[in-house]
Amino acid sequence: MDIKLLQTFEVAASCENFHQTAETLYIAQPTVTQHIRQLEKELDVALFERVGKRVRLTAAGKRFLSHAKLILSQWHAGAEEMVAWKQGYKETLHIAVSPIIARTSLPSLIHRYTKEHPEVDITIKIADSIDIGLLVQSGQAHLGLSRMVPYESQLATYLMQTDPIVFAVPHYGGDMDAPLPDWEQELLTKRLLTHNHPIYWDPLLTALRQRGFAIRTMGVTHVDVTKRFIEEGLGISFLPRSAILRELFENRFMELPTPGLELPKVASYVVFPNSNLIASGQRFVDILATLYAPLPKVT
């Protein structure tokens, strides 16, 4: 069976339109029709029925679709593995990483790992911390680098490092010797950009309101967008210091002290299965243990 027939069938089942299928696959519409007819002939069943200008799967088509997807998935996995093998890779390592860690700690880790283990084919999946535990537990990732302890009980979690939360406001220019803006005045007059981290926002907002602050907030769930909004003068925020080191160095942000308000700390964790961590993953953890000693286990 020609793999192209299955590819055409899968796209046609999604589009329910042979013209759109042709555009998606960059082939002529008669070729789509030919592929479907050839596949139907090989299977000796009708896979589609016409409904006006569209098509829809028959009962047989619906039944065959899951098999077609499985075959295509295995074919793509095999093709990727052969490409990796020809490039000299002998092992794989799939890592799920939170966006903040991907921007800060991950590049240096990957530099060191690939230098020491060039035979490992690495795949990085950027994911929200709340999803990383499930990705590791389900086997979609061999290990994860997360900003929170996962809920999944079958995983081992180790503390890499802690990171202070700081009050970040745009740099207003002017004399470097000028006094810093008053943090309470900033909080009262600017919109606070919240919930760009999975852990600390709810207790922090409670602490601020208990101090009597009438805060205007805007939920912005991604740190990159939060930083962009701060630069554009759309608000201020409490962010992990590691996330804004470049902006502080380039004088785009200021870090304001908050006397009387104790700010929390957040942490980075490595997460992997309690058992059967693959060898390429264990070597990655060994590097973490060297860089972030003592890498204590979270219980």
Side-chain angles (χ1 to χ4, degrees):
M1 182 179 293
D2 189 342
I3 200 72
K4 291 181 181 178
L5 305 185
L6 296 179
Q7 291 172 330
T8 302
F9 170 66
E10 183 184 38
V11 175
S14 175
C15 294
E16 295 187 334
N17 183 289
F18 284 178
H19 178 70
Q20 292 178 11
T21 300
E23 290 183 339
T24 301
L25 294 173
Y26 299 100
I27 58 178
Q29 184 171 336
T31 304
V32 173
T33 303
Q34 181 183 0
H35 284 180
I36 299 302
R37 286 178 178 172
Q38 186 175 341
L39 187 58
E40 289 178 329
K41 183 177 180 180
E42 291 187 23
L43 296 172
D44 194 26
V45 294
L47 297 172
F48 291 96
E49 60 184 358
R50 288 199 169 274
V51 183
K53 295 183 178 181
R54 306 190 69 81
V55 296
R56 66 184 178 193
L57 290 172
T58 62
K62 292 178 182 178
R63 189 176 185 87
F64 182 66
L65 180 59
S66 60
H67 296 287
K69 288 183 175 181
L70 179 60
I71 293 170
L72 286 169
S73 175
Q74 292 175 336
W75 185 87
H76 287 304
E80 290 175 2
E81 184 176 336
M82 292 308 298
V83 170
W85 177 76
K86 287 192 293 183
Q87 292 175 341
Y89 294 124
K90 298 177 182 178
E91 299 176 84
T92 60
L93 178 60
H94 302 310
I95 308 174
V97 189
S98 83
I100 294 179
I101 298 176
R103 285 187 300 270
T104 54
S105 307
L106 185 63
S108 60
L109 289 172
I110 296 300
H111 272 300
R112 175 163 176 174
Y113 187 86
T114 54
K115 183 177 181 180
E116 295 182 12
H117 306 288
E119 75 285 357
V120 179
D121 184 15
I122 302 176
T123 300
I124 305 297
K125 180 178 180 60
I126 306 302
D128 291 336
S129 290
I130 197 169
D131 299 322
I132 288 177
L134 182 59
L135 290 171
V136 175
Q137 182 169 282
S138 66
Q140 297 178 64
H142 296 123
L143 57 85
L145 302 178
S146 175
R147 299 289 282 186
M148 62 182 290
V149 177
Y151 299 115
E152 289 74 15
S153 59
Q154 299 176 356
L155 302 177
T157 303
Y158 290 80
L159 173 66
M160 291 168 53
Q161 62 182 350
T162 58
D163 193 4
I165 300 300
V166 298
F167 188 34
V169 302
H171 199 289
Y172 300 119
D175 190 345
M176 294 293 293
D177 295 326
L180 292 173
D182 179 74
W183 77 275
E184 294 185 346
Q185 188 65 23
E186 290 290 304
L187 198 60
L188 291 171
T189 57
K190 306 292 192 306
R191 192 178 299 274
L192 182 62
L193 308 175
T194 67
H195 291 92
N196 37 51
H197 191 282
I199 296 296
Y200 60 83
W201 272 107
D202 288 339
L204 179 55
L205 287 173
T206 297
L208 290 170
R209 286 172 176 141
Q210 286 176 344
R211 293 172 63 93
F213 288 111
I215 307 169
R216 294 180 302 154
T217 64
M218 179 192 301
V220 182
T221 58
H222 282 78
V223 169
D224 280 345
V225 179
T226 299
K227 294 197 295 183
R228 181 63 176 170
F229 278 22
I230 293 174
E231 285 193 80
E232 294 294 331
L234 294 172
I236 55 181
S237 192
F238 293 92
L239 293 167
R241 180 180 285 139
S242 64
I244 62 168
L245 285 177
R246 174 170 293 183
E247 287 79 8
L248 291 173
F249 178 76
E250 295 175 351
N251 289 324
R252 289 185 282 148
F253 285 5
M254 290 190 293
E255 174 188 338
L256 297 187
T258 57
L261 176 67
E262 183 177 356
L263 295 179
K265 292 183 178 181
V266 291
S268 299
Y269 306 92
V270 58
V271 180
F272 51 86
N274 274 319
S275 59
N276 300 321
L277 177 62
I278 64 172
S280 59
Q282 183 59 58
R283 293 196 292 272
F284 191 90
V285 174
D286 291 343
I287 290 176
L288 293 178
T290 300
L291 296 175
Y292 300 107
L295 202 71
K297 187 172 185 179
V298 177
T299 57

